Amino acid sequence: SIFTADEVENEEVEVETGDGIHIYSYKVEARITSRFAHTTICSRVVNTAQHAQSVVFNMQIPKSAFITNFTMNVNGITFIGSVKEKTVARSLYAKARARGKAAGIVRTNSNDMEMFRTEVHVPEGSKIQFEIHYEEMMQRKLGVYEYNLNLQPGKLVPQFQVDVYIYEPKGIAFVRAPNSLGEHFEGLVKVTTSNQKAHVCFKPTLHEQRKCHNCSSTAVDGVFTVQYEVIREDNGGDLQVSNGYFVHFFAPINLSPLPKNIIFVIDISGSMWGLKMKQTVQAMQTILDDLGHDDFFSIIDFNHNVRCWSDELVPATSIQTSEAKKYIQEIQPNGGTNINEALLRATHMLSNAMNYGVTDPRSVSMIILVSDGDPTVGEIKLSAIQKNVKKRMRDEFSLFSLGIGFDVDYDFLERIALENRGMAQRIYANQDASQQLRDFYQQVSSPLLRKILIEYPDEAVTDVTQNSFDKYFSGSELVVAGRVEPHGYSVLQSVITASSGTMDLSLQAEADVHELDEILALQRHVNPGFARQLWAYITVNQLLAERSLASTAAKKRKITQKIVSMALEHQFVTPMTAMLVESESGDERLLADSPKGPKQDCCAGSSVMGRKGLLTNGPPPWAQSPTAQPTALAVKAPLVEALPNRITLVEND
Amino acid sequence: PHFIIHLPKCKQDICFNIDSEPGKILNLVSDPNLGVVVNGQLIGAKKLEETKTSTFFGTIAIYYKKQDMKVEISTERISVTNGKHAHLFTWEETGNMTQNGVRISIKKDTYITVSVNEEISFMVLLHRVWKKHPVNVDFLGFYTPHTNMFSPEVHGLLGQFFSEPEVKVFNVHPGSDPKKPEATMEVKGHKLAVTRGWQKDYRADKVYGTNVYCWFIHNSGKGFIDGHYKDYIVPHLDSFLQRP
């Protein structure tokens, strides 16, 4: 049996859901070891109906995560996942499909999550176990790491349990598990912490899961959140070596922020009319209030024309900011979109300020572009705009792009930002957009260091990920990883050089090459291979970013090969790989492919299933229409008989 | 705290203790012309020892007025303040900071050096004791080379000796302790009864220290230092010494 004795006992628990599909167990275990999270979600289901029907396994996975494994067991037949190069996986899948022995795993996009959904058609009495694994790096934002888990079991579950284990070698400063699932679950999340370890457990009983006393529906529906921070004693960062790989987390605290020169370039074209403009204005009110006395700023708003609130940077005094707020409030969006001209004007303004010595030479100069659409006026060729901006941006300037909604070519905004020492963020055009804009601004509003270079002895390390960074912002974290030479030193050292508000810094960090492995070996609920996977995770993400900036097809191909090779070695489902899920005999197959980016989509902020244009096929035809199977066949029927002849598949690229 | 003054011309080392109260700030170096001041704040041991509280330096502050730069070193942390910019470091790290001629180097759990325009340098040494020690507390040592190029206006408990006083030691005779001969010292117009002894320099060996043989001045350096040691108590960590 694929069920434990405990679960078999629980079969006695009657959970009437009407459709004959009972989820007996839904267990999530996340192991976060040194910011690297490995999540396993396991669900065990029985079709208790008197007929064959489809069983769906739905899971929302953070977009920043890579799926690393998926297995399924149907009545003792195990399907095992393996990551393959996309065309290979598709070809194998196509063969199975041709023989009518294939089913699809669908992945679609939502705001920060993507849906992983698989569906199998099984005879009555079938027992199915789904298990998915995914990995992600915890990103420090505003001084906190946040682990989010989407919990939507859809039904009452006799054995429902979430365990989040955190292990941070340098110690945990705090762990919070804010009750994001609603008042119903107040006090049900248990947090246990010691110096380096934390365990967050959520295990509601059947009764506690019920929406009301006699309800048969579950109240578990939402995002389960765990927030934590590590202890930081050392401005040189936390250098950790494990299993032949090193990871260096650099997040100095207690440094004064650098003054900044900031130009807000705001799209006021017709498409911004309504909620988007209202939310932008709201956000700008707060952002302008947050500017410091040492900061300089200006505002450029553009549609087909480009207007400047002030032709030059002005100090962020209360008079100037209140003038700027008034100006923004009076904006009436209309007309086209001339991104090229607006950005060039901003670079010109920054250059002038620098040339005339208006700004502090150690200050940080930033352009924050807020736009909701593609250029329609002036230069509209994206590559030409990219080239123009790059040419005019000085090394001291950075461009941050915020793309509101889905009418905007986010890839372009991301490219242009990455190419100019900045970053991009998608803003979902809903009621929350104002907060999203403010949050983004907060992340970049306190630059603490410039020109950060994190170096290691050449003979001690190889394959080091990006180790030079233009800026370090308060509350964030710079992470560098690499391989440690096997016959190198017993202590790995690092030297970090950077420039702060008033001084040039050179800091050192060091780590014993063996110590952490010895400690990890004694720990339960840790991921001893974290450093290797974290290094691979960072490398693949960097390669994906590099790929989007590649100037020629040949360069792109070369990077793609590297990504594929890394993804195969580390079993990551990336945009260049897919997961083929095969039965042990290899004659039945499922394919997990990466989803399309939400580009040019109409339904910003809408629910996952409500989005249009993502699925090339409709929902699985068998999903809502149970078909009766002969009882005899249902008990021991091989899956091949139960799998549909028709398939569903997400296409991309 | 104990003080060791090396007098290079007469090749002598002189030492004395200053016994004051925890919390008091002693001026060590004050050079108003260069705009450099070094003050040390005393901390006390956890318990009295024979009715007396031993005191140590718990915080050393170096202030360079021309750059409005303050380096405050305690046994817990190091803060570097420049105008409204403040950076905090701990003894857990190793690193260097440079700004407008001021260079600060931290050697993890060991020492900090601060140099100004490569003309003046100071070293602050960290002494960690066993946390559960019934009496002792963590404390700091302060070292400054006699080659520092201070202005003639330099003063302070240490600063006054950059201009080397003339010292004559004579009438050396056995003391009550056979290992510690006694003598008479003539300095700054005073004749002082001094005792030969030794004090520790912890730069080379942080645990056991290196013995520095010196003539010990009794009564908190009375007669060897200008005025009374209380004249060197200042109100703030960045206060210059007000000369009478």
Coordinates of all heavy atoms in Angstrom, one line a residue, chain A residues 535-592:
Chain A
W535 N 24.4 27.5 -5.2 CA 25.3 27.9 -6.2 C 24.7 27.7 -7.6 O 24.7 28.6 -8.4 CB 26.7 27.2 -6.1 CG 27.5 27.3 -7.3 CD1 28.3 28.4 -7.6 CD2 27.7 26.4 -8.3 NE1 28.9 28.2 -8.8 CE2 28.6 26.9 -9.3 CE3 27.2 25.1 -8.6 CZ2 29.0 26.3 -10.4 CZ3 27.6 24.4 -9.8 CH2 28.5 25.0 -10.7
A536 N 24.1 26.5 -7.8 CA 23.5 26.2 -9.1 C 22.3 27.2 -9.3 O 22.1 27.7 -10.5 CB 23.1 24.8 -9.1
Y537 N 21.5 27.4 -8.3 CA 20.3 28.2 -8.4 C 20.8 29.7 -8.9 O 20.2 30.2 -9.8 CB 19.6 28.3 -7.1 CG 18.4 29.2 -7.0 CD1 17.2 28.7 -7.2 CD2 18.6 30.5 -6.7 CE1 16.1 29.5 -7.2 CE2 17.5 31.4 -6.6 CZ 16.2 30.8 -6.8 OH 15.1 31.7 -6.8
I538 N 21.8 30.2 -8.2 CA 22.2 31.5 -8.6 C 22.8 31.6 -10.0 O 22.6 32.4 -10.8 CB 23.3 32.1 -7.5 CG1 22.7 32.2 -6.2 CG2 23.9 33.4 -8.0 CD1 23.7 32.4 -5.0
T539 N 23.6 30.5 -10.3 CA 24.3 30.5 -11.6 C 23.2 30.4 -12.7 O 23.3 31.2 -13.7 CB 25.2 29.3 -11.7 OG1 26.1 29.3 -10.6 CG2 26.0 29.3 -13.0
V540 N 22.2 29.6 -12.5 CA 21.2 29.4 -13.6 C 20.5 30.8 -13.7 O 20.2 31.2 -14.9 CB 20.2 28.3 -13.3 CG1 19.0 28.3 -14.2 CG2 21.0 26.9 -13.4
N541 N 20.1 31.4 -12.6 CA 19.4 32.7 -12.7 C 20.2 33.7 -13.4 O 19.7 34.5 -14.2 CB 18.9 33.1 -11.3 CG 17.6 32.5 -10.9 OD1 16.6 32.6 -11.7 ND2 17.6 31.8 -9.8
Q542 N 21.5 33.7 -13.1 CA 22.4 34.7 -13.7 C 22.5 34.5 -15.2 O 22.5 35.4 -16.0 CB 23.8 34.6 -13.1 CG 23.9 35.6 -11.9 CD 25.3 35.4 -11.2 OE1 25.3 35.6 -10.1 NE2 26.3 35.1 -11.9
L543 N 22.6 33.2 -15.6 CA 22.7 32.8 -17.0 C 21.4 33.2 -17.7 O 21.4 33.7 -18.8 CB 22.9 31.3 -17.1 CG 24.3 30.9 -16.8 CD1 24.4 29.4 -16.7 CD2 25.4 31.4 -17.8
L544 N 20.2 33.1 -17.0 CA 19.0 33.5 -17.6 C 18.9 35.0 -17.9 O 18.5 35.4 -18.9 CB 17.8 33.0 -16.8 CG 17.5 31.5 -16.7 CD1 16.5 31.2 -15.6 CD2 17.0 31.0 -18.1
A545 N 19.5 35.7 -16.9 CA 19.5 37.2 -17.1 C 20.5 37.5 -18.2 O 20.2 38.4 -19.0 CB 19.9 37.8 -15.8
E546 N 21.6 36.9 -18.2 CA 22.6 37.1 -19.3 C 22.1 36.8 -20.6 O 22.3 37.5 -21.6 CB 23.8 36.2 -19.1 CG 25.1 36.8 -18.6 CD 26.2 35.7 -18.4 OE1 26.6 35.1 -19.3 OE2 26.5 35.5 -17.2
R547 N 21.3 35.7 -20.7 CA 20.7 35.3 -21.9 C 19.8 36.4 -22.5 O 19.7 36.6 -23.7 CB 19.9 34.0 -21.7 CG 19.4 33.3 -23.0 CD 18.7 32.0 -22.6 NE 18.2 31.4 -23.9 CZ 17.0 31.6 -24.4 NH1 16.2 32.5 -23.9 NH2 16.7 31.0 -25.5
S548 N 19.0 37.0 -21.6 CA 18.1 38.0 -22.1 C 18.8 39.2 -22.6 O 18.3 40.0 -23.3 CB 17.0 38.3 -21.0 OG 17.6 39.2 -20.1
L549 N 20.1 39.4 -22.2 CA 20.8 40.6 -22.6 C 21.8 40.2 -23.8 O 22.4 41.1 -24.3 CB 21.7 41.1 -21.5 CG 20.9 41.8 -20.3 CD1 21.9 42.3 -19.3 CD2 20.2 43.0 -20.8
A550 N 21.8 39.0 -24.1 CA 22.8 38.5 -25.2 C 22.5 39.3 -26.5 O 21.3 39.4 -26.9 CB 22.7 37.0 -25.4
S551 N 23.6 39.8 -27.1 CA 23.4 40.6 -28.3 C 23.3 39.8 -29.6 O 22.8 40.3 -30.6 CB 24.5 41.6 -28.4 OG 25.7 40.9 -28.3
T552 N 23.8 38.6 -29.6 CA 23.7 37.8 -30.8 C 23.1 36.4 -30.5 O 23.1 36.0 -29.4 CB 25.1 37.6 -31.4 OG1 25.8 36.8 -30.5 CG2 25.8 38.9 -31.7
A553 N 22.6 35.9 -31.6 CA 22.0 34.5 -31.5 C 23.0 33.5 -31.1 O 22.7 32.6 -30.3 CB 21.3 34.1 -32.8
A554 N 24.2 33.7 -31.5 CA 25.3 32.7 -31.2 C 25.5 32.7 -29.7 O 25.7 31.7 -29.0 CB 26.5 33.0 -32.0
K555 N 25.6 34.0 -29.2 CA 25.9 34.1 -27.7 C 24.7 33.5 -26.9 O 24.9 32.8 -25.9 CB 26.0 35.6 -27.3 CG 27.3 36.2 -27.7 CD 27.4 37.6 -27.2 CE 28.6 38.3 -27.7 NZ 28.6 39.8 -27.6
K556 N 23.5 33.7 -27.4 CA 22.3 33.2 -26.7 C 22.4 31.7 -26.7 O 22.1 31.1 -25.7 CB 21.1 33.7 -27.5 CG 19.9 33.8 -26.6 CD 18.8 34.6 -27.3 CE 18.0 35.4 -26.3 NZ 17.1 36.3 -26.8
R557 N 22.7 31.1 -27.9 CA 22.8 29.6 -27.9 C 23.8 29.1 -26.9 O 23.5 28.1 -26.3 CB 23.2 29.2 -29.4 CG 22.0 28.9 -30.3 CD 22.4 28.1 -31.5 NE 23.4 28.8 -32.3 CZ 23.1 29.7 -33.2 NH1 21.8 30.1 -33.4 NH2 24.0 30.3 -33.9
K558 N 24.9 29.7 -26.9 CA 26.0 29.3 -26.0 C 25.5 29.3 -24.5 O 25.7 28.4 -23.7 CB 27.2 30.2 -26.1 CG 28.5 29.5 -25.8 CD 29.6 30.4 -26.2 CE 30.9 29.9 -25.5 NZ 32.0 30.8 -25.7
I559 N 24.8 30.4 -24.2 CA 24.3 30.5 -22.8 C 23.2 29.5 -22.6 O 23.2 28.9 -21.5 CB 23.8 32.0 -22.5 CG1 24.9 33.0 -22.7 CG2 23.2 32.1 -21.2 CD1 24.5 34.4 -22.7
T560 N 22.4 29.3 -23.6 CA 21.3 28.3 -23.4 C 21.9 26.9 -23.1 O 21.4 26.2 -22.3 CB 20.5 28.2 -24.7 OG1 20.0 29.5 -25.0 CG2 19.3 27.3 -24.6
Q561 N 23.0 26.6 -23.8 CA 23.6 25.3 -23.6 C 24.1 25.2 -22.2 O 23.9 24.1 -21.5 CB 24.8 25.1 -24.5 CG 24.4 24.6 -25.9 CD 25.6 24.8 -26.9 OE1 26.7 25.1 -26.5 NE2 25.3 24.6 -28.2
K562 N 24.7 26.3 -21.7 CA 25.1 26.2 -20.3 C 24.0 26.0 -19.3 O 24.1 25.3 -18.3 CB 25.8 27.6 -19.9 CG 27.2 27.7 -20.4 CD 27.9 28.9 -19.7 CE 29.0 29.5 -20.5 NZ 29.4 30.8 -20.1
I563 N 22.9 26.8 -19.6 CA 21.7 26.7 -18.7 C 21.2 25.2 -18.7 O 21.0 24.6 -17.6 CB 20.6 27.6 -19.1 CG1 21.1 29.1 -19.0 CG2 19.3 27.4 -18.3 CD1 20.1 30.1 -19.6
V564 N 21.1 24.7 -19.9 CA 20.6 23.3 -20.0 C 21.5 22.3 -19.2 O 21.0 21.5 -18.4 CB 20.4 22.9 -21.5 CG1 20.1 21.4 -21.6 CG2 19.3 23.7 -22.1
S565 N 22.8 22.5 -19.4 CA 23.7 21.6 -18.8 C 23.6 21.7 -17.2 O 23.5 20.7 -16.5 CB 25.1 21.9 -19.3 OG 26.0 21.6 -18.4
M566 N 23.5 22.9 -16.7 CA 23.4 23.1 -15.3 C 22.0 22.6 -14.8 O 22.0 21.9 -13.7 CB 23.4 24.6 -15.0 CG 24.7 25.3 -15.1 SD 25.8 25.0 -13.7 CE 25.0 25.7 -12.4
A567 N 21.0 22.9 -15.5 CA 19.7 22.5 -15.1 C 19.5 20.9 -15.1 O 18.9 20.4 -14.2 CB 18.6 23.1 -16.0
L568 N 20.2 20.3 -16.0 CA 20.1 18.8 -16.1 C 20.9 18.2 -14.9 O 20.5 17.3 -14.2 CB 20.7 18.3 -17.4 CG 19.9 18.6 -18.6 CD1 20.6 18.0 -19.8 CD2 18.5 18.1 -18.5
E569 N 22.1 18.8 -14.6 CA 22.9 18.3 -13.5 C 22.2 18.5 -12.2 O 22.3 17.7 -11.3 CB 24.2 19.1 -13.5 CG 25.3 18.4 -12.7 CD 26.6 19.2 -12.6 OE1 26.8 20.0 -13.5 OE2 27.3 19.0 -11.6
H570 N 21.5 19.7 -12.0 CA 20.9 20.0 -10.7 C 19.4 19.7 -10.7 O 18.8 20.0 -9.7 CB 21.3 21.4 -10.3 CG 22.7 21.6 -10.1 ND1 23.3 21.4 -8.9 CD2 23.7 21.9 -11.0 CE1 24.7 21.6 -9.0 NE2 24.9 21.9 -10.3
Q571 N 18.9 19.2 -11.8 CA 17.5 18.8 -11.9 C 16.5 20.0 -11.6 O 15.6 19.9 -10.7 CB 17.2 17.7 -10.9 CG 17.8 16.4 -11.3 CD 17.1 15.8 -12.5 OE1 16.0 15.3 -12.5 NE2 17.9 15.7 -13.7
F572 N 16.8 21.1 -12.3 CA 15.9 22.3 -12.2 C 15.0 22.3 -13.5 O 15.5 22.2 -14.6 CB 16.7 23.6 -12.2 CG 17.5 23.8 -10.9 CD1 18.7 24.5 -11.0 CD2 17.1 23.3 -9.7 CE1 19.4 24.8 -9.9 CE2 17.8 23.6 -8.6 CZ 19.0 24.3 -8.6
V573 N 13.7 22.6 -13.3 CA 12.9 22.8 -14.4 C 13.0 24.3 -14.7 O 12.6 25.2 -13.9 CB 11.4 22.5 -14.1 CG1 10.5 22.8 -15.3 CG2 11.3 21.0 -13.8
T574 N 13.6 24.7 -15.8 CA 13.8 26.1 -16.1 C 13.1 26.3 -17.4 O 12.5 25.4 -18.0 CB 15.3 26.3 -16.4 OG1 15.7 25.5 -17.5 CG2 16.2 25.9 -15.2
P575 N 13.2 27.6 -17.9 CA 12.6 27.8 -19.3 C 13.2 27.0 -20.4 O 12.6 26.9 -21.5 CB 12.8 29.3 -19.5 CG 12.9 29.8 -18.1 CD 13.6 28.8 -17.3
M576 N 14.4 26.4 -20.1 CA 15.0 25.6 -21.2 C 14.9 24.1 -21.0 O 15.4 23.3 -21.8 CB 16.5 25.9 -21.3 CG 16.8 27.2 -22.1 SD 16.8 28.6 -21.0 CE 15.9 29.7 -21.9
T577 N 14.3 23.7 -19.8 CA 14.2 22.3 -19.6 C 12.8 22.0 -19.2 O 12.0 22.9 -18.9 CB 15.1 21.8 -18.4 OG1 14.9 22.8 -17.3 CG2 16.6 21.8 -18.8
A578 N 12.4 20.7 -19.2 CA 11.1 20.3 -18.8 C 11.2 19.0 -18.0 O 12.3 18.3 -18.1 CB 10.2 20.0 -20.1
M579 N 10.2 18.7 -17.2 CA 10.3 17.5 -16.5 C 9.4 16.4 -17.1 O 8.2 16.6 -17.3 CB 9.9 17.7 -15.0 CG 10.0 16.4 -14.2 SD 9.6 16.7 -12.5 CE 11.1 17.5 -12.0
L580 N 10.0 15.3 -17.4 CA 9.3 14.2 -17.9 C 9.0 13.3 -16.8 O 9.9 12.9 -16.0 CB 10.1 13.5 -19.0 CG 9.3 12.5 -19.9 CD1 8.4 13.2 -20.8 CD2 10.3 11.6 -20.6
V581 N 7.7 12.9 -16.6 CA 7.3 12.1 -15.5 C 6.9 10.7 -16.1 O 6.0 10.7 -16.8 CB 6.2 12.7 -14.6 CG1 5.9 11.9 -13.4 CG2 6.6 14.1 -14.2
E582 N 7.7 9.7 -15.8 CA 7.5 8.4 -16.4 C 7.1 7.3 -15.4 O 7.6 7.3 -14.3 CB 8.7 8.0 -17.1 CG 9.1 8.9 -18.3 CD 10.4 8.4 -18.9 OE1 11.5 8.7 -18.3 OE2 10.4 7.8 -20.0
S583 N 6.3 6.4 -15.9 CA 6.1 5.2 -15.0 C 7.4 4.4 -15.0 O 8.2 4.5 -15.9 CB 4.9 4.4 -15.6 OG 5.3 3.9 -16.9
E584 N 7.5 3.5 -14.0 CA 8.7 2.7 -13.9 C 9.0 2.0 -15.2 O 10.2 1.9 -15.6 CB 8.6 1.8 -12.7 CG 8.7 2.5 -11.4 CD 8.1 1.7 -10.3 OE1 7.0 1.2 -10.4 OE2 8.7 1.7 -9.2
S585 N 8.0 1.5 -15.8 CA 8.2 0.8 -17.1 C 8.6 1.7 -18.2 O 9.0 1.3 -19.3 CB 7.0 -0.1 -17.4 OG 5.9 0.8 -17.5
G586 N 8.3 3.0 -18.0 CA 8.7 4.0 -19.1 C 7.6 4.0 -20.2 O 7.8 4.7 -21.2
D587 N 6.5 3.4 -20.0 CA 5.6 3.4 -21.1 C 4.4 4.4 -20.9 O 3.5 4.5 -21.7 CB 5.0 2.0 -21.4 CG 4.3 1.4 -20.2 OD1 4.3 2.0 -19.2 OD2 3.9 0.2 -20.3
E588 N 4.4 5.1 -19.8 CA 3.4 6.2 -19.6 C 4.1 7.4 -19.2 O 5.0 7.4 -18.4 CB 2.4 5.8 -18.6 CG 1.4 4.8 -19.1 CD 1.2 3.6 -18.2 OE1 1.5 3.8 -17.0 OE2 0.9 2.5 -18.6
R589 N 3.7 8.5 -19.8 CA 4.5 9.8 -19.5 C 3.6 11.0 -19.3 O 2.5 11.1 -19.8 CB 5.4 10.0 -20.7 CG 6.5 9.1 -20.8 CD 7.5 9.4 -21.9 NE 8.5 8.4 -21.9 CZ 9.0 7.7 -23.0 NH1 8.4 7.9 -24.2 NH2 10.0 6.9 -22.9
L590 N 4.2 11.9 -18.4 CA 3.6 13.2 -18.2 C 4.7 14.2 -18.4 O 5.9 13.9 -18.3 CB 3.1 13.4 -16.8 CG 1.9 12.5 -16.3 CD1 2.4 11.2 -15.7 CD2 1.1 13.2 -15.2
L591 N 4.3 15.4 -18.8 CA 5.3 16.4 -19.0 C 5.0 17.7 -18.2 O 3.9 18.2 -18.3 CB 5.4 16.8 -20.5 CG 6.5 17.7 -20.9 CD1 7.9 17.0 -20.9 CD2 6.3 18.2 -22.3
A592 N 6.0 18.1 -17.5 CA 5.9 19.4 -16.7 C 6.8 20.4 -17.5 O 8.0 20.3 -17.5 CB 6.4 19.3 -15.3

